[in-house]
């Protein structure tokens, strides 16, 4: 082992980065932060209360992230909107850095982890998949939850979110130059995990467990 293992995972919506982050965290016994939840909590609260998003970001607490409504697509769209505000991003920086630089190491997933939050992370993964593959995954997920939607709508909303997240001026979604690129269009979660694990072990990190 070479110092704490900090794994920075970035990628667009429904690329599989969340599932991969959870599995890597469990494998290496590390705490995991889904940073999208921070933006979702701010966007959701801003819509409900009308308070300025930057102020909400400055006072966000870990307990605010447990709200199940943050998982909805409406919260995702609200998150994407407030995440373009530079003061919101600045006010969420400390929360994320404190989490990332715990002595144990950590896993964080989001859009700017390898580029802005942890530019010196020893492991950076950029997880992507085609728009069609991601929309198809999200559509199946929504249908399984009993949501009444159609695939073209899911695809259009995802395309809009991709565009907003990639074209914004403040910390746009992009791969760090030293990130390992993982295209999961034709991979299931097991295959993505195996590929990421091989890359991380190739850097000399091993699970401390049995
Ligand atoms: O990963 P997610 O779908 O939960 O993210 C919701 C939105 O939050 C996403 O559209 C963009 C924003 N986001 C961000 O700007 N930076 C991050 N590190 C994580 C999410």
């Amino acid at each position: 082992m070479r110092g704490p293992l900090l794994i920075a995972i970035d990628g667009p919506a429904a690329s599989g980065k969340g599932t991969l982050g959870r599995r890597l965290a469990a494998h290496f016994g590390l705490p995991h932060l889904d940073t999208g939840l921070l933006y979702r909590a701010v966007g959701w609260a801003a819509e409900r209360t009308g308070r300025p998003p930057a102020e909400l970001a400055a006072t966000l607490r870990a307990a605010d992230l447990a709200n199940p409504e943050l998982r909805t697509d409406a919260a995702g769209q609200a998150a994407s909107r407030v995440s373009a505000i530079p003061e919101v991003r600045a006010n969420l920086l400390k929360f994320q850095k404190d989490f990332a630089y715990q002595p144990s190491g950590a896993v964080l997933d989001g859009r700017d982890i390898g580029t802005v939050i942890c530019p010196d992370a020893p492991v950076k993964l950029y997880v992507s998949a085609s728009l069609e593959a991601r929309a198809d995954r999200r559509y199946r997920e929504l249908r399984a939850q009993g949501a009444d939607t159609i695939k073209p709508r899911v695809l259009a909303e995802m395309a809009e979110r991709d565009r907003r997240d990639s074209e914004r001026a403040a910390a746009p979604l992009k791969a760090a130059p030293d990130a390992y690129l993982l295209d999961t269009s034709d991979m299931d979660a097991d295959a993505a995990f195996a590929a990421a694990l091989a890359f991380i072990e190739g850097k000399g990190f091993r699970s401390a467990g049995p």
Side-chain angles (χ1 to χ4, degrees):
M1 281 283 280
R2 358 168 315 180
L5 174 55
L6 172 54
I7 305 178
I9 309 178
D10 291 302
S15 56
K17 65 183 188 308
T19 304
L20 180 61
R22 274 191 300 280
R23 288 188 63 170
L24 289 173
H27 180 82
F28 288 104
L30 295 172
H32 171 229
L33 180 64
D34 165 3
T35 63
L37 277 180
L38 307 177
Y39 295 91
R40 286 170 179 259
V42 171
W44 184 83
E47 286 197 353
R48 283 186 35 134
T49 65
R51 284 177 59 199
E55 191 183 302
L56 292 162
T59 53
L60 190 82
R61 290 173 197 291
D64 300 333
L65 308 180
N67 177 356
E69 291 206 36
L70 302 184
R71 308 273 172 191
T72 62
D73 260 21
Q77 292 289 349
S80 177
R81 285 190 290 273
V82 297
S83 69
I85 304 170
E87 295 76 26
V88 167
R89 307 199 71 83
N91 291 348
L92 292 176
L93 204 64
K94 185 175 182 308
F95 188 106
Q96 296 174 86
K97 283 201 183 273
D98 285 350
F99 191 93
Y101 294 101
Q102 305 176 60
S104 59
V107 180
L108 285 84
D109 72 73
R111 302 291 191 289
D112 63 342
I113 309 304
T115 50
V116 175
I117 308 296
C118 314
D120 57 352
V123 173
K124 296 182 188 177
L125 308 171
Y126 187 83
V127 186
S128 67
S130 67
L131 175 63
E132 288 69 25
R134 291 183 291 115
D136 193 56
R137 281 176 202 161
R138 181 53 54 83
Y139 173 71
R140 286 167 198 273
E141 247 171 54
L142 289 169
R143 295 294 297 192
Q145 291 164 11
D148 180 23
T149 189
I150 54 168
K151 215 188 268 189
R153 185 167 154 214
V154 175
L155 192 122
E157 284 178 1
M158 194 161 282
E160 187 197 332
R161 185 130 78 95
D162 280 1
R163 190 188 48 72
R164 217 187 291 127
D165 293 348
S166 315
E167 293 179 0
R168 69 179 182 222
L173 167 66
K174 66 168 188 274
D178 52 345
Y180 174 68
L181 305 181
L182 195 57
D183 184 335
T184 66
S185 304
D186 299 314
M187 278 184 192
D188 62 13
D190 286 345
F193 175 70
L197 192 58
F199 171 71
I200 297 167
E201 289 185 345
K203 287 191 162 261
F205 291 101
R206 295 270 183 279
S207 155

